[in-house]
Amino acid sequence: MEATVAGPSRARVLQAFRSRNFRLLWTGQAISLLGDAAFVVALGWRTFTLTGSARSLGLVLTLQGIGLLSTVLVGGALADRYDRRTMMLVSDLARFGVIGVLAVVDATGHLSIASLAAIAFVEGLATGFFTPALGGLIPLVVEEPELGSANALIGMARQSGFLIGPSLASLLYGFAGSTFVFGFNAVSYLVSFGFIYATRPRASEPSAAEGTFREIRSGIRYVANVPWLWVTISLFAFVLMFQWAPIQVLTPKLIREHFDLGVRAYGLVFSAIGAGMIVGSVLFAQINPRRRRGLISYLIWMLNSLLVIVFALSPWYSLAVGSAFLRGICIGFGITVWETMLMELVPRHMLSRVVSLDWFGALGLTPFGLLLVGAVSGLAAPGALIALGAAISLCIVAGGLSSKSIRSVD
């Protein structure tokens, strides 16, 4: 019997901490995600300052996304057939190695856009194996009634990373340079490896061995037969293309040119989003809605798009940071709703494949969006381009509410 914390938790959000295995998994992910959040800031600012071009950052992020998309479907099929914990361990070691190489190359003064893009691509390849395995492992370390708590807590770890990581990155970047931030991220993967190694999840019934590509097709057929799944995944492919891609590529330029500020202000925006995401995850876990979750999540994403417009067009930096915080609440709540629905409504033997298809489908058009934003970044002010993408996304999400399957799914 798995060791548990004595006594029930007063707060619903903490219920999953009763599981020793979940506590280990969560701790490793909290540290790794902190490194990831710091890495995002360092990567964005280092790329932008290396060339002064938003187009270069778009190229690096595009290749990172292509790397993830190249392996995430295979990773989902393998995670449903083989041991998910082992896949996560191998992925962590691979990411430790590749980000470690980046730190060394940067420290020796040989970093170029070509080497940065190549390393980002390989990092994306390794992440594509990790993500679906993690999604399938969580139900094996907690009981089903605690899935909402587990997803909220994993979300809080992710969001705490976005709260602390960007500010930490901006401080370390300012005092020690990008090399130190890259090295910190590499070590965080090694720490994650140690905590995952210590977990002992329950055994899961593996899917029948049909061959990797047949298993991927089986997952696609499953998603295609569940309207709330394929509608949402399809719509969000365009939402991320039009909304997330401009934010990623143009925010450094917005901070520098529109607000006339530097890397610390850039990091603070991400920290504000992270703080809001923590609030959103806790709010979900405490409310734990059981009905009309599809409708709720779509309304949340529409509000998020409106807040992106406020962020992009704000004449004051303080208002931009405030809207970023409110956006974080929407993101934290929306992601936790979605991940909990997947883990409760999708059969366990299909879960990693569905998670991988979710990532592949939602991110499938993002590389094109990143390249497109880089190409048009000089045609208008960065705030105008970000706001335009958010307005398009708002219309797309609103259109999804015409589907009865979305409005009625619990």
Side-chain angles (χ1 to χ4, degrees):
M1 171 110 23
E2 186 177 284
T4 59
V5 176
S9 172
R10 291 176 179 268
R12 289 180 179 178
V13 71
L14 301 178
Q15 287 176 349
F17 275 150
R18 298 174 185 175
S19 163
R20 172 185 177 274
N21 285 320
F22 179 78
R23 295 197 303 272
L24 289 169
L25 178 66
W26 184 89
T27 303
Q29 288 310 290
I31 295 169
S32 176
L33 290 165
L34 177 63
D36 286 343
F39 177 73
V40 167
V41 173
L43 178 68
W45 202 258
R46 184 71 178 98
T47 304
F48 184 68
T49 56
L50 195 62
T51 65
S53 169
R55 184 175 299 179
S56 297
L57 178 55
L59 174 63
V60 170
L61 293 175
T62 296
L63 288 174
Q64 185 182 40
I66 290 174
L68 186 149
L69 292 172
S70 299
T71 55
V72 71
L73 291 182
V74 175
L78 294 178
D80 278 335
R81 192 196 316 169
Y82 299 114
D83 184 60
R84 293 160 180 166
R85 171 176 167 270
T86 301
M87 286 185 59
M88 294 166 66
L89 292 173
V90 172
S91 176
D92 268 343
L93 281 182
R95 292 187 291 178
F96 163 71
V98 71
I99 301 302
V101 168
L102 172 59
V104 171
V105 172
D106 192 31
T108 57
H110 293 96
L111 188 65
S112 65
I113 286 298
S115 59
L116 196 58
I119 289 171
F121 174 75
V122 176
E123 190 273 342
L125 291 175
T127 301
F129 287 102
F130 186 92
T131 301
L134 173 62
L137 188 71
I138 291 173
L140 302 180
V141 296
V142 297
E143 301 300 330
E144 185 168 343
E146 298 171 347
L147 279 174
S149 167
N151 283 309
L153 288 168
I154 290 291
M156 288 172 64
R158 183 186 303 120
Q159 294 130 21
S160 295
F162 275 106
L163 172 63
I164 302 169
S167 297
L168 178 63
S170 60
L171 289 173
L172 293 177
Y173 198 112
F175 288 113
S178 54
T179 298
F180 198 85
V181 184
F182 295 150
F184 173 75
N185 188 37
V187 171
S188 75
Y189 288 129
L190 200 59
V191 174
S192 171
F193 175 93
F195 279 99
I196 293 171
Y197 184 81
T199 63
R200 295 295 181 268
R202 296 188 299 273
S204 63
E205 182 178 347
S207 63
E210 305 173 9
T212 300
F213 293 103
R214 288 185 178 180
E215 290 165 11
I216 292 173
R217 287 197 296 270
S218 176
I220 293 172
R221 285 195 298 270
Y222 174 82
V223 170
N225 288 323
V226 182
W228 66 269
L229 277 175
W230 71 258
V231 169
T232 302
I233 292 172
S234 299
L235 289 181
F236 273 81
F238 291 96
V239 169
L240 292 182
M241 175 184 176
F242 287 113
Q243 181 167 290
W244 183 82
I247 291 172
Q248 290 297 106
V249 173
L250 297 173
T251 297
K253 189 176 182 181
L254 180 73
I255 297 298
R256 171 168 281 186
E257 296 183 359
H258 181 63
F259 295 114
D260 195 27
L261 297 171
V263 65
R264 293 189 180 183
Y266 177 58
L268 181 58
V269 167
F270 284 93
S271 293
I273 294 172
M277 290 170 72
I278 293 173
V279 174
S281 292
V282 172
L283 184 63
F284 169 83
Q286 291 300 112
I287 297 174
N288 195 22
R290 310 302 301 172
R291 294 186 57 79
R292 303 291 186 183
R293 289 184 289 185
L295 174 62
I296 292 171
S297 64
Y298 270 61
L299 293 174
I300 288 288
W301 291 120
M302 290 172 65
L303 177 58
N304 172 68
S305 295
L306 287 172
L307 289 167
V308 171
I309 295 173
V310 174
F311 166 78
L313 300 181
S314 170
W316 307 291
Y317 175 71
S318 57
L319 177 59
V321 172
S323 64
F325 173 74
L326 294 176
R327 276 192 63 222
I329 296 177
C330 295
I331 295 170
F333 195 97
I335 289 177
T336 310
V337 169
W338 177 252
E339 291 179 344
T340 302
M341 288 171 65
L342 289 182
M343 292 181 188
E344 290 183 352
L345 303 180
V346 174
R348 294 287 168 82
H349 70 281
M350 297 288 296
L351 182 56
S352 287
R353 274 172 286 181
V354 172
V355 170
S356 71
L357 285 164
D358 178 31
W359 276 77
F360 183 86
L363 294 175
L365 296 178
T366 300
F368 300 103
L370 293 167
L371 289 175
L372 177 62
V373 173
V376 304
S377 59
L379 300 181
L385 292 173
I386 293 172
L388 175 61
I392 295 171
S393 298
L394 175 62
C395 295
I396 292 171
V397 177
L401 288 179
S402 64
S403 171
K404 183 178 179 181
S405 66
I406 298 297
R407 298 194 306 273
S408 60
V409 66
D410 294 327

